[in-house]
Amino acid sequence: MAIEILQFTDLHLPPDERGRIWGIDPFARLQRVLAHARRHFRRARLALLTGDLVHEPDPRAYARLNALLADLPWPCRAVPGNHDDPRCMRATLSRAPMAEHLAVDTWRIHLLDSTVSGRSAGRLGAAELERLARRLRREPRAPAVVCLHHHALAVGSPWLDAIMLENASDLERVLAGSAARLVLWGHTHQEFRGRIGTVSAYGTPSTAMQFRPRSPAFATDDRGPGYRWVRLQQDGRFETGLHYVPEDA
Ligand SMILES: [Fe+2]
């Protein structure tokens, strides 16, 4: 039977309950997205939160998120983004631990921390890369999903590509010849599809606000909040798609 997993990314929750970011209410949008996902993916096995869970690293924002996650029908795991404080996340977000590796039936899920303290761009440290390489080598036939916050392929938006994963070629080297099937990321607040060698790579829209594709400078887009679903087959094949959740969904 296929395994469904969900990806929610770039929540950008503010510290205050009614706080607004980019003129919208990220908490209300997240609630709308989660309500949609609950209706359509009740049997999903896992929800991945791929960074920028909060807009500013304030424990109140993580605590509010944690309370919201308590009601969900899926276990959650998280990776940090450049807006997060990994230490604060670890201390507050008990409902979405920052587990490094998970097994879901025949699949393996590898969660990477691509954040660099004080910087918007991302980088995978030598220890993180070595850990991933070791895990992929240990089970050379187990199909794998790799998740991180930062994009490892340029999206064609210069202001975003200036803050992408700096050492994307190191990730490509580790993935080459492995059983990794897909890479999932956030950070760019827009949908994206590409390939890292033979591995499919997907960018996922934000649950809060999208950024305008191919814009040379920061600009928002009015597509509304979104999330990704992935259906993993036992034999290593998969399908994936997105839902945007407009106001009246
Ligand atoms: Fe973000």
Side-chain angles (χ1 to χ4, degrees), residues 116-131:
V116 184
S117 182
R119 298 194 55 203
S120 298
R123 183 165 191 86
L124 290 169
E128 199 74 342
L129 285 163
E130 180 47 38
R131 197 159 39 232

Side-chain angles (χ1 to χ4, degrees), residues 63-222:
R64 288 174 62 223
L65 174 59
N66 208 43
L68 191 64
L69 298 182
D71 284 338
L72 296 181
W74 329 288
C76 301
R77 295 293 182 275
V79 298
N82 48 297
H83 281 257
D84 290 306
D85 175 342
R87 214 180 314 169
C88 190
M89 257 173 85
R90 218 171 253 123
T92 320
L93 208 60
S94 59
R95 302 277 177 180
M98 288 162 54
E100 289 163 2
H101 307 279
L102 297 171
V104 186
D105 293 353
T106 54
W107 283 77
R108 301 295 174 264
I109 319 277
H110 303 288
L111 298 114
L112 306 179
D113 180 351
S114 58
T115 61
V116 184
S117 182
R119 298 194 55 203
S120 298
R123 183 165 191 86
L124 290 169
E128 199 74 342
L129 285 163
E130 180 47 38
R131 197 159 39 232
L132 175 63
R134 213 170 37 235
R135 290 279 181 162
L136 290 170
R137 272 198 309 267
R138 192 181 297 171
E139 296 182 283
R141 280 193 292 277
V145 181
V146 174
C147 307
L148 74 167
H149 179 66
H150 292 85
H151 52 309
L153 294 170
V155 296
S157 212
W159 75 278
L160 280 170
D161 292 338
I163 53 169
M164 67 183 280
L165 187 73
E166 288 175 348
N167 58 337
S169 57
D170 288 337
L171 178 62
E172 181 171 359
R173 179 175 46 76
V174 170
L175 296 179
S178 79
R181 295 285 194 276
L182 65 157
V183 180
L184 301 173
W185 59 63
H187 194 45
T188 57
H189 295 227
Q190 61 194 270
E191 60 182 83
F192 176 85
R193 184 178 173 171
R195 288 187 89 77
I196 302 175
T198 58
V199 184
S200 300
Y202 297 92
T204 295
S206 161
T207 65
M209 175 65 99
Q210 310 319 332
F211 297 152
R212 192 177 302 155
R214 306 216 158 256
S215 175
F218 173 84
T220 56
D221 193 37
D222 58 5

Side-chain angles (χ1 to χ4, degrees), residues 2-14:
I3 303 157
E4 281 176 342
I5 63 172
L6 302 171
Q7 183 194 8
F8 304 103
T9 195
D10 296 273
L11 288 50
H12 285 270
L13 299 178

